[in-house]
Amino acid sequence: MEKILSLVRRCVEDYDMIQAGDRVAVGVSGGKDSLVTLAALAKLAKFYPKPFTVEAITLDLGAADGQAPADFGALREYCEKLEVPFTLLHTEISHIIFDLRREKNPCSMCAKMRRGALNNALVERGIRKIALGHHFDDAVETFFLSLFYEGRISCFQPVTELTRTGITQIRPLLYCGEGMVRGAAKRHNLPVVKNPCPADGYTKRQEVKELVVELEKQYPGLKERVFGAMQRLPLTAWEPVEHRRRPYAEEKE
């Protein structure tokens, strides 16, 4: 976890993500990405020169007909181990999308409903900053998704200001590759909750992920060059505060 912690700190500093006195919520889905984000920020909070606190917020999406409900008991115990406050919010998002609306392309609607529920919960609790678990590979794949399906040079931002709610989204895992994150979650036996979504693995994002894997075999270093181009263009809000950094996404932890 030390290598990931180093890269998370570097990313936080490059994009000025955390200020003294921040109360940072981590949106913990139960997946490896959000759990590693939580673990890294909980450790960082113990020694970072700008004092901040961390807490975990998890959305229970409920279960569509025929689905088994997710069990977040191990996640709660892990937060207790980290000494991080844990909040579980119950919703019926899965039931609405798959049983009532019967969405054929559910991902966009689900994402909007999850963002809305999470943002409402943050506002109610007086929290103005949330850390999301998007990593290096997510950024590259999102860049290609925007290019292929929308005809735009675009990606989510390392720091996003939501002006309507006053909430700031940060993505401190951006310098960490998916392989590094997966390895850390396995080595540290993090309590990963299996994604119960019926659409998991059958999305446009999955198609692009598989395409990027094949392209990387033919053009080694492709992902690093794309990520660097995003910083150098730069895309909106993608130029680091000190433009001398680069991710070390494929290094061993």
Side-chain angles (χ1 to χ4, degrees):
M1 190 66 75
E2 293 306 313
K3 184 59 182 179
I4 285 180
L5 182 57
S6 174
L7 291 174
V8 164
R9 178 172 184 169
R10 181 179 299 178
C11 189
V12 166
E13 292 176 348
D14 278 2
Y15 292 103
D16 198 23
M17 291 182 174
I18 293 175
Q19 310 305 321
D22 275 351
R23 183 180 170 196
V24 182
V26 180
V28 182
S29 66
K32 66 183 187 313
D33 307 334
S34 59
L35 282 167
V36 169
T37 302
L38 176 66
L41 287 182
K43 286 180 177 291
L44 185 63
K46 295 183 183 301
F47 64 84
Y48 198 59
K50 299 177 182 179
F52 69 99
T53 60
V54 178
E55 52 192 277
I57 297 183
T58 296
L59 284 183
D60 178 0
L61 303 184
D65 290 346
Q67 280 183 287
D71 182 0
F72 295 101
L75 179 53
R76 185 184 296 276
E77 292 176 5
Y78 183 63
C79 288
E80 291 175 357
K81 179 181 176 181
L82 292 176
E83 300 180 335
V84 168
F86 174 72
T87 301
L88 181 61
L89 304 173
H90 297 280
T91 74
E92 293 189 357
I93 292 175
S94 287
H95 174 63
I96 292 169
I97 288 177
F98 292 106
D99 299 332
L100 300 182
R101 296 179 60 94
R102 299 184 182 275
E103 293 283 340
K104 293 182 179 179
N105 299 297
C107 296
S108 177
M109 176 64 70
C110 181
K112 289 178 181 177
M113 294 183 71
R114 284 187 286 112
R115 281 196 300 268
L118 195 54
N119 289 344
N120 288 340
L122 294 174
V123 170
E124 289 173 1
R125 289 160 175 75
I127 302 173
R128 290 294 180 265
K129 187 162 288 185
I130 182 165
L132 305 177
H134 297 115
H135 50 61
F136 171 87
D137 292 77
D138 287 328
V140 173
E141 291 157 12
T142 299
F143 176 87
F144 280 119
L145 275 167
S146 296
L147 182 63
F148 293 164
Y149 293 104
E150 300 176 10
R152 295 190 301 137
I153 303 296
S154 177
C155 185
F156 52 70
Q157 298 174 352
V159 177
T160 307
E161 306 284 348
L162 304 178
T163 55
R164 289 181 59 186
T165 60
I167 293 171
T168 300
Q169 297 175 340
I170 62 174
R171 295 174 168 87
L173 212 61
L174 279 180
Y175 286 177
C176 303
E178 185 171 17
M180 179 185 290
V181 173
R182 185 186 299 109
K186 184 175 182 180
R187 282 192 299 276
H188 295 280
N189 197 28
L190 300 187
V192 175
V193 178
K194 186 180 184 305
N195 188 349
C197 177
D200 186 38
Y202 301 95
T203 63
K204 294 297 184 185
R205 177 172 290 277
Q206 183 64 30
E207 291 179 9
V208 169
K209 178 186 289 290
E210 293 170 4
L211 174 61
V212 171
V213 168
E214 293 304 313
L215 288 173
E216 180 75 13
K217 292 177 183 177
Q218 187 172 358
Y219 305 102
L222 172 72
K223 291 187 290 186
E224 283 81 2
R225 289 193 292 275
V226 170
F227 193 96
M230 292 162 65
Q231 291 182 307
R232 290 189 297 271
L233 282 172
L235 290 180
T236 302
W238 266 89
E239 186 174 16
V241 174
E242 298 182 44
H243 202 170
R244 58 185 175 84
R245 309 293 195 184
R246 63 180 296 271
Y248 293 87
E250 301 306 320
E251 280 192 11
K252 300 287 186 184
E253 184 187 359

